């Protein structure tokens, strides 16, 4: 029988037989597993940031809708929520974000409104739950409840 010694492995393989050994396959599986363990959390983080950016854009558009409401409503933000209320789900803008697509990850609400000020809130839900709420104030302050414990930071952090 014509046996050729595999270079560097020290064992014989019949001539003409090709393929991978079980050890070689296990090494490849281990490498792929390590790469996946590193890449997947990074991917998840990127997806969360993307969804958060969608909510930030929705809040900015919601703010523009509030300004239009203010102009059309005798210089007052009062009554922009459902049933003419000052807080809660808006009637002047969609109630969920992202605005496009069927899967929604944030609920949009009016957190507070007076004649001259408002606070808009995007509360995460579903796969985004636990990411911390976003809020946009009428004076342009943009905040993120990053830790979920009530300490608000600039939403670009």
């Amino acid at each position: 029988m014509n046996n050729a010694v595999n270079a560097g492995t020290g064992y014989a393989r019949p001539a003409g037989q090709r393929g991978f050994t079980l050890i070689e396959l296990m090494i490849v599986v281990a490498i792929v597993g390590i790469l996946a363990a590193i890449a997947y959390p990074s991917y998840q983080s990127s997806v969360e940031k993307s969804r958060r950016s969608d909510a930030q854009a929705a809040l900015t558009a919601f703010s523009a809708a509030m300004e239009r409401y203010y102009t059309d409503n005798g210089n007052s933000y009062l009554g922009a929520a459902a049933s003419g209320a000052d807080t809660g789900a808006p009637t002047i803008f969609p109630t969920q974000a992202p605005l496009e697509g069927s899967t929604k990850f944030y609920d949009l609400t009016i957190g507070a409104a007076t004649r001259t000020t408002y606070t808009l809130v995007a509360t995460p839900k579903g796969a985004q739950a636990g990411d911390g709420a976003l809020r946009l104030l009428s004076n342009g302050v943009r905040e993120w409840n990053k830790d979920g414990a009530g300490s608000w930071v600039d939403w670009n952090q």
Side-chain angles (χ1 to χ4, degrees):
M1 178 174 226
N2 184 9
N3 285 340
V5 176
N6 258 351
T9 61
Y11 67 89
R13 181 183 294 180
Q17 190 175 22
R18 301 176 344 167
F20 298 104
T21 65
L22 183 58
I23 297 291
E24 291 168 333
L25 290 175
M26 292 303 293
I27 290 171
V28 169
V29 168
I31 291 171
V32 169
I34 290 169
L35 290 175
I38 293 169
Y40 187 71
S42 177
Y43 169 75
Q44 285 298 104
S45 176
S46 294
V47 168
E48 284 182 358
K49 286 179 186 176
S50 174
R51 291 175 183 155
R52 190 178 319 120
S53 293
D54 284 342
Q56 290 168 344
L59 280 177
T60 302
F62 189 3
S63 176
M66 288 293 285
E67 295 303 327
R68 283 190 301 277
Y69 181 84
Y70 179 82
T71 302
D72 294 341
N73 196 45
N75 296 332
S76 175
Y77 297 112
L78 297 174
S83 301
D86 301 330
T87 61
T91 57
I92 61 169
F93 198 78
T95 59
Q96 297 179 326
L99 302 178
E100 303 295 325
S102 60
T103 305
K104 306 300 183 182
F105 297 103
Y106 285 87
D107 285 326
L108 303 176
T109 57
I110 301 170
T114 67
R115 287 192 61 75
T116 57
T117 65
Y118 62 81
T119 301
L120 307 178
V121 180
T123 307
K125 64 180 185 175
Q128 198 70 8
D131 187 48
L134 298 164
R135 72 180 175 190
L136 176 58
L137 283 58
S138 57
N139 63 0
V141 173
R142 299 161 184 236
E143 298 175 313
W144 175 31
N145 188 0
K146 187 174 183 178
D147 61 4
S151 46
W152 295 88
V153 298
D154 182 83
W155 78 17
N156 291 320
Q157 289 187 352

